[in-house]
Amino acid sequence: MKKAAVAAVAVLAAVLAALLAYDGIINKEATADFFAMNTYASAKITGADSEECAALAEEITQSLDTDILSRTAENSEVFLLNKNGGGALGKEMRGYVSVLLDVCEKSGGAFDFTLGAVSDLWNFGGNPSIPDSAALSDALSHSGYKKLALAENTLTYADKAAVIDFGAAGKGIALDDIREAFAEKRIKEAVVSVGGSVLLMGEKQFTVGIRNPSGNAGSYIAKLHIPAGCVSTSGSYEQQFEENGEKYHHILDPETGCPAKSGLLSVTIISESGIMSDALSTACFVLGHEKGTALAKEYGCTAIFITENNEVFVENGSKDIIEITDGAYTLI
Ligand code: ADP
Ligand code: MG
């Protein structure tokens, strides 16, 4: 071979090696599986910083829980607010509280993050049972978002026995924090799920399963084909127990303090924001199909309702995003 040809081959080989190395970096995958916020969480990330980001997803979720949102971790921001009947709010907490108060109002109180004392009586996270009715009405009398007043950076509880609880929105808040942290990192794609809330980052169309509301945790009834964003599902299948032949689940009707009966098995909300998708999925579950649709529209979110008759409705969005994979369910 002539000298020039040898040089050309060498250059080509070097370019190819560099390209392969680059591809190895931008497509480097990392995963993390962890338990946080009382639920299972996982992260699957592609990109040069994937390993760092997988670890970061766990770190952010754990510290958000322990330092900020947990109702039981002593010295968390929420723990201290509940203990003191209010107080000064950090910048982030002020943001969460004002978003959630807005959801409380727009949902007509179907969403209410002051049901902590009522949730405690049901003890869904532990060994659940039907609460004593006198205790339930007492706890209910100390609940209600109207007992909270937010002025500037201070939250005041009109009833010091009220207990705020981020159970319905904390997982979505974690996803918002994770997305913000990832924005500065070199990643191509990320899928992070915390319980029933999922964050999707990247340019592609993602496929997300909707859980079978009457099956086991690993089975799905539909696939969603959607771009980047947040997706949350709230369902009566989570944390349920049976007593005297009746099933009880953890999404409560703030009017009665008992599990919401709205004819639904689950609601899935798609939003750019995790706090919105998480809070709205709970709110819409309590409201039911018709009123839930109105609320989702007000916030510009697509909502998927699965009714107790196994009917599936896609509201405020195209039906093209959904593919039913279980013949027992019908897309209307
Ligand atoms: P999951 O915890 O399964 O993701 P949700 O996001 O729907 O489910 O939140 C349910 C949790 O929110 C309950 O465990 C309780 O702590 C709290 N909660 C229950 N009912 C309501 C309600 N009507 N409004 C706000 N929070 C609620
Ligand atoms: Mg929720």
Side-chain angles (χ1 to χ4, degrees), residues 168-169 234 278-279 281-282:
S234 286
D278 197 356
S281 65
T282 309

Side-chain angles (χ1 to χ4, degrees), residues 111 166-172 197 232-234 251 275-283:
F111 182 88
F166 278 79
K171 300 169 196 91
S197 289
S232 296
T233 301
S234 286
I251 305 171
I275 190 173
M276 279 321 302
S277 63
D278 197 356
L280 279 185
S281 65
T282 309

Side-chain angles (χ1 to χ4, degrees), residues 37 39 71 104 109-116 119 124-125 165-171 194-197 232-235 237-239 250-254 260 278-279 281-283 285-286:
M37 297 189 167
T39 189
R71 214 142 55 70
C104 289
F111 182 88
D112 195 319
F113 67 117
T114 67
L115 292 172
S119 283
F124 282 102
D165 163 38
F166 278 79
K171 300 169 196 91
V194 184
S197 289
S232 296
T233 301
S234 286
Y237 50 81
E238 285 284 352
Q239 302 186 13
H250 74 316
I251 305 171
L252 303 172
D253 180 343
D278 197 356
S281 65
T282 309
F285 186 93
V286 178

Side-chain angles (χ1 to χ4, degrees), residues 213-252:
S214 29
N216 57 29
S219 76
Y220 297 89
I221 68 117
K223 286 178 185 167
L224 293 179
H225 302 289
I226 49 175
C230 293
V231 188
S232 296
T233 301
S234 286
S236 56
Y237 50 81
E238 285 284 352
Q239 302 186 13
Q240 65 164 240
F241 73 98
E242 212 167 315
E243 207 169 304
N244 307 324
E246 202 168 332
K247 283 180 179 161
Y248 297 87
H249 61 81
H250 74 316
I251 305 171
L252 303 172

Side-chain angles (χ1 to χ4, degrees), residues 90-122:
K91 183 170 159 273
E92 275 82 25
M93 179 57 77
R94 198 201 175 282
Y96 309 150
V97 168
S98 88
V99 168
L100 295 187
L101 281 173
D102 191 63
V103 178
C104 289
E105 266 166 34
K106 290 206 169 83
S107 68
F111 182 88
D112 195 319
F113 67 117
T114 67
L115 292 172
V118 178
S119 283
D120 279 348
L121 288 178
W122 287 94

